[in-house]
């Protein structure tokens, strides 16, 4: 029998697969989340004092007049490193790389750069680890990447200089992004296909919980070096448990290693308490050849071109706004730990809400995605109309913090929808290529995101204007895409064009029916499906563009 039939015998979601979900979609995601937003606390700026000749002595950052602030800012931009070390005194509430290496003034960009290095590593890791796991196996690549992730993460906590920290951030991002992608594939290949969506949703949900967990750890561990090490000790526990999981039976089967695939399946059956389960795998049947999609096909066909450009921009915006708002929690006022925890917890209701809406005929994929992008963009834009400092009356509730959290909830829902929607927009022969191309632009958004909050130095609400304008524009563009709810998945590019003929033909026949009912002659309006051939599939692209 084939491997899919074997899963019906060993169990598609038995007790052991539930354990794998806990390990790879819960515990692992808690760790992955802490690495992804580590810089939110490790790169936070503690309060500091300065003592300069010509300025009032012992002034505190944020508690001085505008003229003193301007004079200090001008000095800070022109001062060399030794002068900054001599005159600046950081508070003792917590330590960070800012207080360690005096990353303020004209060196403050280095904090954003360190975060950008991390997401650059994620970009490279996601590309390379997928190919490596296809060649060498899921488990080997996952465990190797995980071990190096922990090693580089601990090295992060012992960084002797900023340059060492930045390089280790890149390496952590590469390992973290790569191994988490392989772990997701490994988990899906160990459960029945009916539970793939569930496994993915659990992972996304506990990524959000991981943000809140990291805020809690940061509250109790105020030393950035200790925090970086403790986070990776948590990862070491997950790594040790991962040593005993099986290799993907689906990957082994695809490689023709039938005996090893059977052993992996029998292990799953044994731990699912199905001792009497017996089966024998046969070699995969030779599949009929069909057209193979390439990256250039995304831009060669006008229908695919329109969909690809819109979805690339939407993925870019989702990542830009999601990580931008998360990393901006230090500028919202109040406790940075409470803000970060709320930033994670606010995502939790987004998952059930968006899953419910995208399956409703009156909302579907397209309208739900557009609505959440509009909501997120609008919440961010409203910030620019708020008074800069006013915490009384209505503004005690409607402020930059609450609107930022609303924007985070909306963009989290949009991010979840875009995974599902994108996979349904592309035919099977080019689906992986399309998902990969859109995911690449998502990583680009993550690389840029750390620098957007720095725009507050130009105008305090400018970061929110950028997030809001991007959200509204992507929400508008997404309305130009077709609805995919309850439509069959397309297999080939030819199916995509046939679907366009069918859709446009249906619209024309509906209009004919409407005209016929108004004239009282319904018979003449029914028409036949043969008229569909007169409709150009490229007309759909005009709607997209």
């Amino acid at each position: 029998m084939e491997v899919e039939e074997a899963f019906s015998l060993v169990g598609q979601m038995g007790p052991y697969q539930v354990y794998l979900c806990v390990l790879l979609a819960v515990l692992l995601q808690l760790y992955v989340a802490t690495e992804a937003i580590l810089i939110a606390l490790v790169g936070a700026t503690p309060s500091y004092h300065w003592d300069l000749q010509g300025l009032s002595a012992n002034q505190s950052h944020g508690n001085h007049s505008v003229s003193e602030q301007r004079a200090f800012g001008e000095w800070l931009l022109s001062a060399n490193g030794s002068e900054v070390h001599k005159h600046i005194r950081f508070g003792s509430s917590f330590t960070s790389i800012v207080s360690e290496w005096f990353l303020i003034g004209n060196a403050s960009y280095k904090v954003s750069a360190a975060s950008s290095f991390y997401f650059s590593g994620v970009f490279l890791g996601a590309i390379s680890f997928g190919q490596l796991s296809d060649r060498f196996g899921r488990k080997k690549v996952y465990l190797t990447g995980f071990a190096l992730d922990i090693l580089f993460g601990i090295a992060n906590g012992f960084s002797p200089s900023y340059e060492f920290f930045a390089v280790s951030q890149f390496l952590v991002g590469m390992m973290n992004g790569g191994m988490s992608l392989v772990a997701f594939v490994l988990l899906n290949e160990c459960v029945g296909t009916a539970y793939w969506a569930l496994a993915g949703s659990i992972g996304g949900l506990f990524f959000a919980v991981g943000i809140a967990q990291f805020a809690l750890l940061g509250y109790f561990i105020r030393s950035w070096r200790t925090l970086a090490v403790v986070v990776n000790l948590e990862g070491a526990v997950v790594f040790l448990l991962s040593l005993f999981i099986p290799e993907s039976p689906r990957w082994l089967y695809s490689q023709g290693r039938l005996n090893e695939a059977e052993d992996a399946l029998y292990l799953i059956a044994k731990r699912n308490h199905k001792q009497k389960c017996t089966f024998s795998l046969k070699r995969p049947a030779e599949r009929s050849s069909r057209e193979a999609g390439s990256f250039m096909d995304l831009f060669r066909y006008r229908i695919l071109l329109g969909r690809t450009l819109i979805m690339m921009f939407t993925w870019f915006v989702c990542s830009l706004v999601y990580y931008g708002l998360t990393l901006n929690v230090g500028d919202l006022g109040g406790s940075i730990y409470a803000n970060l925890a709320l930033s994670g917890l606010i995502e939790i209701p987004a998952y059930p809400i968006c899953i419910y809406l995208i399956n409703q005929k009156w909302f579907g994929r397209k309208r739900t995605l557009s609505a959440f992008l509009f909501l997120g963009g609008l919440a961010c834009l409203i910030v620019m109309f708020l008074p800069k400092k006013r915490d009384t009356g209505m503004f005690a509730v409607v402020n930059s913090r609450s609107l930022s959290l609303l924007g985070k909830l909306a963009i989290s829902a949009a991010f979840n929808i875009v995974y599902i929607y994108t996979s349904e927009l592309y035919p099977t022969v080019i689906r992986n290529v399309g998902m990969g191309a859109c995911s690449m632009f998502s990583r680009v958004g993550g690389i840029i995101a750390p620098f957007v909050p720095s725009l507050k130095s130009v105008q305090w609400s400018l970061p929110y204007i950028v997030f809001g304008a991007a959200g509204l524009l992507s929400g508008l563009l997404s309305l130009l895409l077709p609805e995919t709810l309850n439509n069959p998945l397309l297999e080939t590019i030819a199916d995509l064009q046939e679907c366009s003929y069918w859709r446009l033909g249906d619209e024309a026949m509906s209009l004919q029916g409407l005209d016929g009912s108004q004239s009282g002659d319904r018979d003449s309006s029914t028409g036949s499906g043969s008229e569909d051939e007169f409709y150009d599939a490229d007309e759909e692209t005009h709607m997209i563009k």
Side-chain angles (χ1 to χ4, degrees):
M1 65 174 63
E2 294 191 356
V3 68
E4 292 301 333
E5 299 174 79
F7 267 100
S8 63
L9 297 176
V10 304
Q12 298 198 44
M13 184 57 83
Y16 185 62
Q17 283 126 320
V18 171
Y19 165 76
L20 291 178
C21 284
V22 172
L23 180 64
L24 300 178
V26 176
L27 299 179
L28 181 65
Q29 286 302 312
L30 293 177
Y31 169 72
V32 169
T34 58
E35 292 285 12
I37 47 93
L38 183 76
I39 203 71
L41 295 183
V42 167
T45 304
S47 60
Y48 54 86
H49 299 76
W50 66 85
D51 181 10
L52 298 175
Q53 293 180 357
L55 291 178
S56 300
N58 200 33
Q59 294 293 316
S60 174
H61 173 60
N63 296 314
H64 44 270
S65 69
V66 174
S67 60
E68 290 171 339
Q69 172 68 34
R70 185 180 298 111
F72 172 72
E74 291 173 356
W75 172 83
L76 195 57
L77 291 174
S78 59
N80 58 39
S82 61
E83 290 177 324
V84 171
H85 289 168
K86 179 179 179 181
H87 294 288
I88 300 298
R89 299 290 181 269
F90 285 95
S92 58
S93 57
F94 65 90
T95 65
S96 70
I97 61 172
V98 175
S99 59
E100 180 90 11
W101 296 306
F102 288 81
L103 303 182
I104 55 177
N106 56 7
S108 60
Y109 75 92
K110 292 183 178 181
V111 178
S112 300
S115 183
S116 187
F117 285 139
Y118 172 86
F119 287 107
S120 299
V122 172
F123 178 87
L124 186 60
I127 296 173
S128 56
F129 272 61
Q131 298 177 6
L132 289 172
S133 68
D134 285 341
R135 181 174 180 181
F136 298 108
R138 316 303 193 204
K139 183 180 177 181
K140 288 180 182 177
V141 175
Y142 161 61
L143 291 177
T144 302
F146 202 168
L148 291 174
D149 188 3
I150 295 170
L151 179 64
F152 294 139
I154 292 176
N156 231 346
F158 293 96
S159 299
S161 65
Y162 169 80
E163 290 72 21
F164 186 96
F165 178 84
V167 171
S168 62
Q169 273 287 92
F170 173 82
L171 294 173
V172 167
M174 183 176 176
M175 299 304 153
N176 195 273
M179 72 86 180
S180 61
L181 174 65
V182 176
F184 175 78
V185 174
L186 174 59
L187 174 60
N188 279 346
E189 292 180 346
C190 287
V191 302
T193 54
Y195 295 92
W196 285 6
L198 174 64
S201 296
I202 292 174
L205 179 65
F206 278 90
F207 186 93
V209 176
I211 296 176
Q213 175 211 238
F214 179 59
L216 184 64
L217 280 175
Y219 179 78
F220 290 107
I221 303 174
R222 298 300 179 96
S223 167
W224 77 268
R225 292 184 181 274
T226 306
L227 181 61
V229 172
V230 168
V231 162
N232 285 281
L233 292 179
E234 175 190 4
V237 175
V238 183
F239 173 79
L240 292 175
L241 293 173
S242 299
L243 292 173
F244 306 102
I245 64 176
E247 176 58 275
S248 162
R250 284 188 171 88
W251 180 80
L252 293 168
Y253 181 74
S254 70
Q255 300 297 304
R257 296 158 62 173
L258 302 186
N259 291 335
E260 294 174 73
E262 288 176 357
D263 290 341
L265 288 167
Y266 276 124
L267 175 63
I268 294 174
K270 179 182 177 181
R271 294 180 179 176
N272 280 343
H273 310 297
K274 295 191 176 184
Q275 306 284 2
K276 297 181 180 180
C277 173
T278 58
F279 54 86
S280 178
L281 295 177
K282 65 178 181 180
R283 290 193 176 276
E286 292 294 330
R287 297 179 181 177
S288 59
S289 61
R290 63 181 180 184
E291 60 178 304
S294 67
F295 180 78
M296 292 308 299
D297 285 337
L298 296 175
F299 307 95
R300 183 176 295 119
Y301 300 95
R302 296 182 65 187
I303 296 176
L304 285 178
L305 173 63
R307 295 183 182 186
T308 299
L309 292 178
I310 292 173
M311 293 313 296
M312 280 180 170
F313 181 69
T314 302
W315 280 68
F316 170 83
V317 169
C318 285
S319 183
L320 176 75
V321 179
Y322 179 90
Y323 287 108
L325 290 176
T326 303
L327 298 175
N328 193 46
V329 293
D331 298 320
L332 296 179
S335 169
I336 186 175
Y337 306 103
N339 290 341
L340 186 59
L342 288 173
S343 178
L345 295 176
I346 197 67
E347 295 183 40
I348 295 177
Y351 289 92
I353 292 173
C354 72
I355 291 298
Y356 172 77
L357 291 177
I358 63 175
N359 290 302
Q360 300 304 309
K361 187 176 180 180
W362 42 271
F363 233 73
R365 273 66 159 150
K366 179 174 72 173
R367 292 190 183 94
T368 307
L369 174 62
S370 181
F372 278 117
L373 288 171
F374 269 116
L375 177 61
L378 189 61
C380 292
L381 280 182
I382 291 175
V383 173
M384 66 184 290
F385 298 106
L386 298 177
K388 187 174 181 180
K389 290 184 179 180
R390 184 173 177 182
D391 297 323
T392 58
M394 180 184 70
F395 297 109
V397 178
V398 182
N399 51 37
S400 60
R401 182 188 303 175
S402 61
L403 290 171
S404 176
L405 292 175
L406 177 60
K408 182 71 184 297
L409 182 148
I411 210 67
S412 300
F415 219 155
N416 193 41
I417 296 166
V418 83
Y419 276 91
I420 301 169
Y421 193 24
T422 305
S423 66
E424 295 175 348
L425 285 172
Y426 289 107
T428 300
V429 295
I430 205 169
R431 185 169 295 125
N432 283 343
V433 176
M435 290 287 289
C438 293
S439 180
M440 285 173 58
F441 271 77
S442 169
R443 309 303 179 192
V444 174
I447 294 171
I448 297 174
F451 292 99
V452 178
S454 303
L455 295 175
K456 66 180 182 295
S457 60
V458 179
Q459 206 277 338
W460 75 274
S461 63
L462 190 55
Y464 293 100
I465 296 174
V466 172
F467 295 145
L472 290 178
L473 180 57
S474 60
L476 181 64
L477 289 174
S478 65
L479 289 174
L480 303 178
L481 295 168
E483 180 56 70
T484 60
L485 177 63
N486 297 328
N487 288 340
L489 289 179
L490 304 174
E491 293 294 329
T492 67
I493 295 174
D495 292 341
L496 183 68
Q497 294 172 335
E498 289 174 10
C499 178
S500 300
Y501 284 123
W502 176 77
R503 286 179 61 221
L504 291 166
D506 259 10
E507 290 173 6
M509 291 196 331
S510 297
L511 289 172
Q512 290 175 5
L514 180 60
D515 292 340
S517 64
Q518 290 174 343
S519 64
D521 186 10
R522 294 181 179 272
D523 293 335
S524 63
S525 66
T526 54
S528 67
S530 62
E531 291 184 5
D532 293 356
E533 65 185 17
F534 294 107
Y535 297 98
D536 184 0
D538 286 340
E539 290 183 26
E540 182 184 350
T541 308
H542 297 320
M543 293 189 288
I544 293 176
K545 292 183 177 180

